[in-house]
Amino acid sequence: MRLRNIKGADEFIENYSFVIKHPEEYKEKWKEVFQNTNPIHMEIGMGKGKFLMELAERNPQINYLGVERYSSVLLRALQKHQETELTNLYFLCLDAALVEDMFGCGEIEKIYLNFSDPWPKDRHARRRLTSREFLDRFDKILSAQGKLEFKTDNRGLFEFSLEEAREAGWKIEKHTYDLHGDDEMCADNIMTEYEEKFSSMGNPIHKMIIYR
Ligand code: SAH
């Protein structure tokens, strides 16, 4: 999904009012961004942002943040956002490894991870967003009742993630290896770009919801 060297991407992002340019300045003050006290939900590794935009449209009483590491990918989301009237969705160009510097304890109510990079080599396991190292970071910024929802079609990554969650002391609220065949878990499902692509190839989609 990484698109290199798109001309003008950085300038566009710099000037787009729904991008938070210095997120560390809002640590413990994210409510000021939205100017209300609604809960804040965040997708990390949002890609082109379809999921988050549909979610923000459906739930005006919730504030959303979209985190994406690459500006060239973020640009695609912003171009789509421009065509909406959404004011409950802001964006950050940020490596997820830095979330603790940007968010205070318990500031976030829900984290979504969708089709996160699998990092298949064992020696890269710590880079997976569902590794215990990342779960420890998310633990700090999630509220006491906070939840994390993860979807992927990658069975190996999904099994790793269930194992890491247990090892890191999280509880599995629900999980399925076939989201689209599970009426209850799929009830209000919003498909991500990757989910549309991989499920159309016949891959079952796995989902887990975890909490501490
Ligand atoms: N969630 C989208 C995109 C999945 S691809 C979908 O389901 O369609 C994974 C995305 O995560 C890519 O856009 C990648 O750039 C981003 N990403 C990977 N590692 C990241 C990190 N450490 N911090 C922030 N974003 C990351």
Side-chain angles (χ1 to χ4, degrees):
M1 154 109 32
R2 190 171 177 186
L3 315 165
R4 287 170 199 273
N5 302 327
I6 294 181
K7 205 162 169 263
D10 291 337
E11 196 187 342
F12 184 91
I13 290 167
E14 190 60 35
N15 292 317
Y16 198 72
S17 56
F18 286 90
V19 176
I20 307 297
K21 280 89 189 183
H22 301 286
E24 66 284 355
E25 290 173 7
Y26 289 99
K27 187 171 180 175
E28 278 152 16
K29 298 189 277 201
W30 281 91
K31 297 213 181 305
E32 288 178 13
V33 169
F34 297 97
Q35 297 182 7
N36 62 43
T37 57
N38 293 344
I40 302 174
H41 296 186
M42 171 159 85
E43 184 184 6
I44 300 182
M46 135 200 96
K48 296 180 194 165
K50 169 188 181 282
F51 170 83
L52 213 45
M53 281 180 241
E54 284 188 43
L55 208 51
E57 192 92 54
R58 267 190 209 177
N59 303 297
Q61 76 294 355
I62 294 174
N63 297 323
Y64 292 95
L65 292 173
V67 174
E68 171 54 49
R69 177 158 51 170
Y70 295 116
S71 58
S72 51
V73 182
L74 176 63
L75 178 69
R76 299 300 186 208
L78 301 183
Q79 287 167 334
K80 209 179 299 171
H81 180 263
Q82 255 188 329
E83 280 152 31
T84 74
E85 308 268 290
L86 294 168
T87 55
N88 60 333
L89 171 58
Y90 281 77
F91 301 93
L92 287 80
C93 197
L94 177 73
D95 182 342
L98 302 176
V99 286
E100 287 166 85
D101 301 335
M102 313 298 163
F103 298 95
C105 255
E107 231 180 342
I108 303 296
E109 299 280 345
K110 195 183 276 190
I111 294 175
Y112 294 100
L113 302 174
N114 292 316
F115 297 82
S116 309
D117 296 346
W119 292 106
K121 293 190 175 121
D122 281 347
R123 67 187 157 86
H124 290 149
R126 283 190 300 168
R127 298 185 191 177
R128 299 173 193 150
L129 295 185
T130 49
S131 64
R132 63 194 76 183
E133 288 81 3
F134 271 97
L135 291 177
D136 285 349
R137 296 179 179 119
F138 301 151
D139 175 44
K140 298 203 178 82
I141 67 167
L142 271 180
S143 70
Q145 300 77 28
K147 291 182 184 179
L148 184 151
E149 300 196 4
F150 172 52
K151 293 196 278 190
T152 181
D153 68 320
N154 186 314
R155 182 145 184 152
L157 178 64
F158 189 67
E159 281 169 354
F160 167 86
S161 305
L162 287 169
E163 186 62 32
E164 290 292 284
R166 290 189 190 102
E167 285 292 324
W170 293 57
K171 299 178 191 77
I172 318 283
E173 182 180 292
K174 290 178 190 160
H175 75 288
T176 176
Y177 285 89
D178 181 16
L179 176 63
H180 297 174
D182 182 321
D183 290 345
E184 192 212 324
M185 280 189 83
C186 204
D188 54 1
N189 188 49
I190 295 173
M191 297 254 258
T192 78
E193 273 103 355
Y194 274 45
E195 185 170 355
E196 283 182 341
K197 180 173 156 198
F198 293 126
S199 61
S200 74
M201 290 161 58
N203 298 4
I205 306 302
H206 318 313
K207 176 170 179 175
M208 64 192 224
I209 303 174
I210 61 172
Y211 66 102
R212 296 95 80 233

